[in-house]
Amino acid sequence: MENLLYTNKTFEKDLFINTKINNREFEDCIFKNCDFSNSDFSNNSFMDCEFIDCNLSMTQFAGTSLKSIHFINCKLLGIQFHTCNDFLFSVSFQDCVSDYSSFANKKMPKTKFNSCSMKEVSFIGTHLTNSVFENCNLDNAIFNDTQLAGVDFRTAHNYKIDPEFNPMKKAKFSTQGIVGLLDKYDIKIE
């Protein structure tokens, strides 16, 4: 990637493993079947882009802008999204594996997570108001001081959320999901 600005470009089957790609701008770009694992994408700007069938595991995004970015069927293990630029941060996820990632202290209201594995993801201090976790596995995800007002957890599973430490007015849960709200009390619900 030699240019500093890419607009309306499709990158397909590109391999940039363990590569530094910094100080670039990508607008209306599509990344398909690319492998960017263990790369450094710090200080880039992505706007209105899609990542489809990509591996971005352990990629660094420090200071990077993610504005209206869609991740579809991507591997995003260990991504530290909390290091991204906060200005206009907007992402959505469909059929992704985002285990061991962090969204700590991010403002991301109305974010859509659809059919994702989110094991041990950190949502500490995250603002998720009116977001949707549709059919997501939240096994050992960490919710602490997380704004969960209006969040839809009805089809999510394996979550454990302490209502005393996470504001969740009008959040939606299924009857089966209530167990995840009472876990700390070590009671049996049959």
Side-chain angles (χ1 to χ4, degrees), residues 67-86:
K67 302 170 186 171
S68 191
I69 306 303
H70 303 286
F71 295 99
I72 302 163
N73 198 38
C74 290
K75 191 173 179 183
L76 301 156
L77 297 173
I79 302 294
Q80 303 303 303
F81 288 103
H82 68 271
T83 65
C84 290
N85 189 324
D86 289 330

Side-chain angles (χ1 to χ4, degrees), residues 47-160:
M47 181 185 284
D48 298 318
C49 295
E50 287 187 351
F51 290 86
I52 304 166
D53 299 316
C54 293
N55 182 0
L56 292 133
S57 295
M58 301 305 292
T59 298
Q60 296 175 38
F61 286 101
T64 293
S65 295
L66 297 178
K67 302 170 186 171
S68 191
I69 306 303
H70 303 286
F71 295 99
I72 302 163
N73 198 38
C74 290
K75 191 173 179 183
L76 301 156
L77 297 173
I79 302 294
Q80 303 303 303
F81 288 103
H82 68 271
T83 65
C84 290
N85 189 324
D86 289 330
F87 185 67
L88 297 176
F89 180 82
S90 174
V91 291
S92 69
F93 303 87
Q94 173 148 358
D95 299 309
C96 292
V97 177
S98 303
D99 301 342
Y100 318 109
S101 294
S102 174
F103 295 97
N105 300 307
K106 295 306 284 181
K107 286 182 171 61
M108 39 195 306
K110 299 181 181 176
T111 300
K112 304 249 186 290
F113 301 92
N114 188 346
S115 300
C116 295
S117 176
M118 307 189 78
K119 297 176 187 172
E120 298 189 37
V121 170
S122 173
F123 291 106
I124 296 171
T126 308
H127 185 279
L128 288 167
T129 303
N130 296 317
S131 292
V132 177
F133 289 92
E134 186 176 327
N135 195 34
C136 290
N137 183 359
L138 294 163
D139 191 30
N140 289 318
I142 303 166
F143 294 92
N144 192 2
D145 195 29
T146 308
Q147 298 295 322
L148 299 173
V151 174
D152 189 344
F153 287 103
R154 288 179 293 180
T155 58
H157 49 282
N158 296 327
Y159 54 82
K160 292 178 184 166

Side-chain angles (χ1 to χ4, degrees), residues 2-14:
E2 300 293 323
N3 296 339
L4 295 178
L5 174 64
Y6 296 90
T7 308
N8 295 312
K9 181 162 173 47
T10 297
F11 299 87
E12 193 158 1
K13 297 184 180 177
D14 287 335

